[in-house]
Amino acid sequence: NGTRLLTAVSLYAQWETLPGSKSVYGGPRLHRMMSDLNGVLGRAKRRPVVLAGDFNVTSQGSRTSDNEADAAFARLRAFGLAGCPLASVPLAGCQCPDGERCRHVKTFRTGTQLDYAFVSPALSGNLQCSVWDKKDAWRLSDHCPVVLDVAVGTGRRAT
């Protein structure tokens, strides 16, 4: 009947303090959540999947093997998911090693990007991702919304 199924997953990787540490991390919880989603993520190459939310990790840090975001994003890429570039005003003064190619945007009040969207290849050409960096949004949360606009069917869009 022309119906296409789409699996949409919203993640919130709550920060936690690891034993013996005073620092907070989002990575451990994010990895546990991704492990719980192995069945869904394993089908991402064949079926449309969107995975987005507050990952509470950032790729703005150093490009080292122990970077929380790099390890999580490598797992998602292994499932065939690609990061959806968030269309917004680029983050001024970002200290990431990407230089002029930097595409980080402010999604957290402190000026950090902690929110991301990843999609399966079937959706990459039919999707626009943006950040709603508006005054009204900041009154509701310390994060601003990530908006995914998906083209479905006969040119209609669903947000």
Side-chain angles (χ1 to χ4, degrees), residues 132-153:
W132 197 35
D133 186 0
K134 310 271 188 219
K135 186 184 252 185
D136 291 344
W138 291 112
R139 283 197 300 245
L140 300 173
S141 175
D142 57 350
H143 291 257
C144 62
V146 171
V147 178
L148 289 88
D149 191 17
V150 184
V152 294

Side-chain angles (χ1 to χ4, degrees), residues 5-158:
L5 295 177
L6 166 76
T7 301
V9 179
S10 174
L11 288 180
Y12 169 51
Q14 184 179 13
W15 278 328
E16 58 187 75
T17 305
L18 297 180
S21 173
K22 293 181 181 179
S23 300
V24 292
Y25 298 92
R29 189 160 308 213
L30 179 60
H31 281 285
R32 289 193 301 274
M33 293 168 68
M34 288 191 306
S35 293
D36 289 342
L37 292 166
N38 270 342
V40 171
L41 298 176
R43 292 188 298 272
K45 291 179 184 175
R46 298 183 314 273
R47 296 188 182 150
V49 173
V50 173
L51 179 80
D54 177 359
F55 287 24
N56 268 327
V57 299
T58 184
S59 60
Q60 289 174 254
S62 63
R63 295 286 191 244
T64 62
S65 61
D66 64 347
N67 179 282
E68 285 187 292
D70 286 350
F73 295 172
R75 279 184 77 184
L76 293 172
R77 284 191 298 275
F79 283 113
L81 296 170
C84 186
L86 302 175
S88 185
V89 177
L91 190 58
C94 184
Q95 299 298 311
C96 80
D98 296 340
E100 291 183 13
R101 296 174 307 156
C102 174
R103 296 296 175 257
H104 290 109
V105 296
K106 178 181 176 180
T107 66
F108 186 58
R109 190 173 303 281
T110 63
T112 306
Q113 181 174 351
L114 297 179
D115 304 85
Y116 297 88
F118 283 81
V119 298
S120 58
L123 292 173
S124 61
N126 300 321
L127 187 70
Q128 292 179 334
C129 304
S130 60
V131 173
W132 197 35
D133 186 0
K134 310 271 188 219
K135 186 184 252 185
D136 291 344
W138 291 112
R139 283 197 300 245
L140 300 173
S141 175
D142 57 350
H143 291 257
C144 62
V146 171
V147 178
L148 289 88
D149 191 17
V150 184
V152 294
T154 58
R156 297 185 329 237
R157 297 191 83 75

